[in-house]
Amino acid sequence: MTHTLHRAGRPESLKTDYVLFTMSAKTVNAAGSAEKMRRFIEIVEKHGPVNCGDMKTGNIFNTSREEILDQVRDTSIVHFVFTDREKVARALAELKKAELGTSVVISGLVEGTEAACQEAGLTIHTIEYSGGIHGRTELLPEEPVLSVTTMCGHGMVAANLVKDLAAKVKRGKLDLQEAALELAKPCQCGVFNPERAAELIKEMNTE
């Protein structure tokens, strides 16, 4: 299971949210896989992602691309975020040709991820579904705040931070992009989608 599986929101919004990442299996192909992951970065970054990172180092909004690349290790998990399915498909097609040998995972709406794989000439190996949220759901933040916070699979983007930055945008103290980039910084893995966050904040301020 991936920590990017439980992104909340309406289908129209989730159509612009794809996470593509790679990792090795510790007991199978981890030894020497760092160089393959660096090559993965070099390939995927050419196709227009809006965020990327390695959970052990950080994302491009709290560290540099060079630092991420330099710190990749055999145990790293390298993530990229896209807003466009066609870009994902082009990245997958190039990865297919490269045959790096590490596991590649895509998170997104099933119809979108399946279409991207088909366009890249790939067959999906496994599909995992989110089972939703159970229990005391009344304690959760309201929509669309929950749609923003769940873009960080480790819960590092706080609901109150989302509300505070949205309020500053509404008062003219920040613009949408500034707020979105501030929200992207705490998400260490780099799976947060700042473009979608900007749209969600705009929505919050027009309700």
Side-chain angles (χ1 to χ4, degrees):
M1 188 179 71
T2 167
H3 63 307
T4 62
L5 186 61
H6 305 289
R7 291 155 101 88
R10 300 186 315 278
E12 312 87 74
S13 175
L14 289 166
K15 284 180 180 177
T16 62
D17 192 23
Y18 297 91
V19 182
L20 178 65
F21 65 94
T22 192
M23 61 188 297
S24 58
K26 291 182 181 179
T27 60
V28 180
N29 62 348
S33 64
E35 189 54 43
K36 296 176 181 179
M37 293 188 197
R38 291 190 190 96
R39 179 64 183 140
F40 178 91
I41 292 173
E42 292 168 354
I43 290 171
V44 179
E45 68 182 355
K46 295 187 295 182
H47 295 278
V50 296
N51 196 1
C52 73
D54 173 4
M55 67 176 187
K56 294 182 178 295
T57 307
N59 67 66
I60 56 171
F61 300 110
N62 62 29
T63 189
S64 68
R65 179 261 186 194
E66 290 71 24
E67 181 73 8
I68 293 169
L69 197 64
D70 184 62
Q71 293 299 318
V72 170
R73 299 291 183 264
D74 289 350
T75 54
S76 292
I77 305 178
V78 180
H79 308 84
F80 284 85
V81 182
F82 289 87
T83 59
D84 187 328
R85 190 202 74 214
E86 292 180 356
K87 291 180 179 180
V88 175
R90 289 195 288 270
L92 287 172
E94 190 170 349
L95 289 171
K96 180 185 177 184
K97 291 180 182 177
E99 294 186 345
L100 300 178
T102 56
S103 178
V104 175
V105 179
I106 313 173
S107 288
L109 295 177
V110 173
E111 56 267 32
T113 56
E114 189 169 28
C117 287
Q118 289 174 347
E119 290 164 20
L122 293 165
T123 301
I124 293 177
H125 177 275
T126 304
I127 297 177
E128 294 180 333
Y129 296 92
S130 172
I133 303 171
H134 303 273
R136 299 189 61 187
T137 56
E138 72 274 9
L139 299 178
L140 292 171
E142 65 280 7
E143 290 285 358
V145 175
L146 189 65
S147 294
V148 177
T149 60
T150 55
M151 286 195 289
C152 178
H154 290 114
M156 302 300 290
V157 178
N160 283 338
L161 177 62
V162 177
K163 294 174 184 177
D164 178 64
L165 292 174
K168 287 178 179 176
V169 170
K170 193 167 189 176
R171 296 197 301 269
K173 292 190 174 182
L174 285 177
D175 65 31
L176 281 171
Q177 290 302 319
E178 288 172 331
L181 297 188
E182 282 301 310
L183 288 167
K185 291 178 182 179
C187 182
Q188 182 76 355
C189 291
V191 300
F192 189 88
N193 185 334
E195 296 293 327
R196 182 173 174 235
E199 289 300 315
L200 290 166
I201 291 170
K202 183 179 179 180
E203 180 182 322
M204 290 170 62
N205 286 339
T206 54
E207 288 182 344

